[in-house]
């Protein structure tokens, strides 16, 4: 792979990170970009000023949605080191998603290197309050201008950075979720396990209808029987039954969340009985009525750990922990964020340290 070209802009003033970051509203000064052609493979890796793209309106991505993306996070630890949380797992998932929609894979190590270089340059944009981070959004899209349906021959990969706080408008307070039984998000053997824009487009109408009824998001049921709980779209879901914490097992239509995987590992470390299995919505309702559901929470890179205060299925409202965060959710949020900021031992080597370099402008 060629060397990265640096086309940087000098900062006139020190970076000022806005307060009340929310999610995805602000962007840093630079992006990483790289191109693909069938002849040259991935080439032209460049870190440059963030600017609008100039794209032909016939670009295949606009018409047929051939694209994939990832979401991962960088932190500044209390000791001032710059770290990325589980980048290799995210890069692997990006390539898994890419394969499914015929996008050429990217060299894992090179992408990791490119991420680190960009983050090193933009390190002053990393916020440091608990729950805040620099969100990293790599994405790839087909860029041929052609209107027939086929895989593109040219692609662009971009890494965008955004300083973020809480994902949901509720902040880190419990969210209100509507179980969705009208529409489906994905079916097994479809695209559900990929991070491809189509899944998010498929979720918008249900999300909007739920929001109008006062819910934060929807919980999707399986696409075939609409019986088994799957995921929220912006996060995976965990149910805390009396003697067992359960999360739906990965079946091809659920996104294999990196935070989901981290939470399963932490719960096992703590000796908590965590099971990945099929869970019907009827089981949740029945066990709730029997007093056997202690709480529900979601996990995601953007959402971190988000308590679910209310879950509504066909008008039957289940309330957990009186709408306050559950003890286990709080403990998990604390554990994960303490790992992020280097406040406790990183016992599973989830943090990758970024070598901070001065690059001349
Ligand atoms: C993430 O958790 O990183 C996601 O990608 C979810 C959403 C922001 C699309």
């Amino acid at each position: 792979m060629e060397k990265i070209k640096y086309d940087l802009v000098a900062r006139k003033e020190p970076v000022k990170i806005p307060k009340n970051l929310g999610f995805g509203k602000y962007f840093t000064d630079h992006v990483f970009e790289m191109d693909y052609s069938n002849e040259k493979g991935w080439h032209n890796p460049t870190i440059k000023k963030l600017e609008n793209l100039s794209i032909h309106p016939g670009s295949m991505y606009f018409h047929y949605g051939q694209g994939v993306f990832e979401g991962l996070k960088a932190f500044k630890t209390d000791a001032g080191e710059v770290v990325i949380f589980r980048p290799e797992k995210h890069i692997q998932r990006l390539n898994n998603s890419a394969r499914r929609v015929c996008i050429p894979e990217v060299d894992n190590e090179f992408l990791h290197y490119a991420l680190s270089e960009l983050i090193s340059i933009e390190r002053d944009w990393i916020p440091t309050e608990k729950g805040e981070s620099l969100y990293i959004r790599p994405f790839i899209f087909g860029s041929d201008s052609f209107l027939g349906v086929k895989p593109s021959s040219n692609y662009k990969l971009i890494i965008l950075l955004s300083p973020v706080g809480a994902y949901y408008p509720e902040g880190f307070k419990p969210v209100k979720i509507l179980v969705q039984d009208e529409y489906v998000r994905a079916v097994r053997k479809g695209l559900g396990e990929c991070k491809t824009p189509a899944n998010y487009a498929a979720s918008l109408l249900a999300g909007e209808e739920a929001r109008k009824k006062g819910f934060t998001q929807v919980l999707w049921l399986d696409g075939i029987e609409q019986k088994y709980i799957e995921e929220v779209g912006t996060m995976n879901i965990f149910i805390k039954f009396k003697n067992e914490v359960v999360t739906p097992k990965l079946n091809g239509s659920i996104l294999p969340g990196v935070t989901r995987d981290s939470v399963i590992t932490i719960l096992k470390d703590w000796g908590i009985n965590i099971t990945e299995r099929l869970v019907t919505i009827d089981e949740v309702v029945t066990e709730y009525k029997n007093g056997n559901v202690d709480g529900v929470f979601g996990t995601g890179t953007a959402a971190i750990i988000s308590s679910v205060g209310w879950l509504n299925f066909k008008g039957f409202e289940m309330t957990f922990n009186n709408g306050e965060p559950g003890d286990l959710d709080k403990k998990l949020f604390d554990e994960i964020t303490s790992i992020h900021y280097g406040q406790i031992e990183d016992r599973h080597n989830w943090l990758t340290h970024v070598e901070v370099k001065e690059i001349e402008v």
Side-chain angles (χ1 to χ4, degrees):
M1 178 59 80
E2 298 158 70
K3 284 211 165 108
I4 297 179
K5 285 196 283 297
Y6 298 89
D7 190 1
L8 309 183
V9 279
R11 276 190 194 114
K12 292 190 194 86
E13 288 170 20
V15 169
K16 233 170 136 190
I17 301 176
K19 296 222 174 312
N20 304 320
L21 283 169
F23 185 85
K25 293 187 284 187
Y26 305 102
F27 297 97
T28 69
D29 307 308
H30 296 94
V31 292
F32 172 85
E33 273 192 33
M34 178 159 78
D35 298 308
Y36 179 93
S37 66
N38 282 348
E39 304 74 45
K40 292 192 190 164
W42 284 110
H43 64 280
N44 198 23
T46 310
I47 294 181
K48 56 192 255 198
K49 185 173 170 224
L50 167 66
E51 280 177 324
N52 290 345
L53 297 171
S54 168
I55 305 180
H56 192 285
S59 281
M60 295 187 76
Y61 175 68
F62 291 142
H63 304 275
Y64 307 120
Q66 195 195 8
V68 291
F69 71 94
E70 262 306 317
L72 61 164
K73 282 177 169 175
F75 301 87
K76 211 172 263 171
T77 66
D78 286 0
E81 283 178 302
V82 176
V83 295
I84 314 178
F85 190 73
R86 308 193 74 179
E88 65 302 322
K89 205 139 172 88
H90 285 278
I91 294 171
Q92 192 53 56
R93 192 172 65 181
L94 182 73
N95 276 329
N96 293 346
S97 301
R99 267 198 309 282
R100 180 63 178 81
V101 292
C102 295
I103 290 178
E105 290 181 45
V106 185
D107 182 82
N108 288 27
E109 272 177 34
F110 182 76
L111 192 58
H112 196 159
Y113 175 67
L115 277 178
S116 305
E117 289 290 284
L118 180 63
I119 288 159
S120 166
I121 289 164
E122 300 291 61
R123 61 188 178 276
D124 291 351
W125 279 100
I126 306 177
T128 51
E129 294 289 314
K130 198 117 170 145
E132 293 182 344
S133 59
L134 188 63
Y135 187 78
I136 309 165
R137 171 54 62 87
F139 62 104
I140 311 176
F141 60 93
S143 57
D144 282 10
S145 44
F146 179 66
L147 296 182
V149 179
K150 69 167 188 68
S152 187
S153 311
N154 293 278
Y155 296 86
K156 200 175 249 314
L157 179 153
I158 300 178
I159 306 174
L160 201 54
L161 302 179
S162 171
V164 298
Y167 180 73
Y168 294 115
E170 288 86 342
F172 294 105
K173 295 206 197 82
V175 292
K176 204 168 178 187
I177 302 281
L178 177 67
V179 181
Q180 173 54 243
D181 60 350
E182 186 110 344
Y183 309 105
V184 299
R185 169 188 171 272
V187 289
R188 289 194 288 281
K189 304 189 183 181
L191 294 177
E193 65 184 355
C194 303
K195 248 180 139 45
T196 185
N199 289 327
Y200 298 84
S203 76
L204 293 177
L205 180 59
E208 279 308 289
E209 289 183 1
R211 237 184 303 280
K212 285 189 191 133
K213 292 180 192 155
F215 297 93
T216 321
Q217 256 307 341
V218 302
L219 171 60
W220 294 100
L221 299 176
D222 74 275
I224 296 169
E225 295 176 82
Q226 294 203 263
K227 184 171 159 190
Y228 302 100
I229 62 170
E230 294 220 320
E231 58 152 276
V232 172
T234 44
M235 56 187 189
N236 294 110
I237 194 91
F238 286 70
I239 314 286
K240 189 171 179 296
F241 291 116
K242 270 269 170 294
N243 300 312
E244 180 195 26
V245 179
V246 176
T247 191
K249 79 167 187 205
L250 301 178
N251 60 357
S253 59
I254 296 175
L255 186 84
V258 176
T259 311
R260 174 188 181 278
D261 179 81
S262 309
V263 162
I264 291 172
T265 305
I266 292 171
L267 291 175
K268 285 183 180 160
D269 287 351
W270 290 346
I272 289 176
N273 184 15
I274 161 77
T275 322
E276 294 173 74
R277 65 168 171 84
L278 291 172
V279 196
T280 63
I281 186 63
D282 287 344
E283 177 183 355
V284 178
V285 170
T286 305
E287 292 306 315
Y288 177 83
K289 287 180 177 163
N290 292 338
N292 288 333
V293 184
D294 286 344
V296 174
F297 60 91
T299 63
T301 297
I304 317 178
I305 306 291
S306 177
S307 301
V308 175
W310 303 267
L311 190 61
N312 187 300
F313 180 52
K314 292 187 190 292
F316 178 69
E317 182 121 302
M318 296 170 264
T319 305
F320 309 105
N321 300 299
N322 300 315
E324 297 294 324
D327 289 342
L328 183 64
D329 330 353
K330 280 194 281 190
K331 210 171 147 204
L332 282 166
F333 180 84
D334 249 11
E335 181 80 4
I336 294 220
T337 51
S338 300
I339 294 172
H340 290 159
Y341 304 106
Q343 292 160 345
I344 58 171
E345 190 199 343
D346 174 24
R347 54 188 186 280
H348 296 289
N349 292 322
W350 286 337
L351 301 182
T352 296
H353 292 252
V354 172
E355 194 191 332
V356 168
K357 293 184 204 157
E358 294 305 331
I359 295 172
E360 268 190 39
V361 177

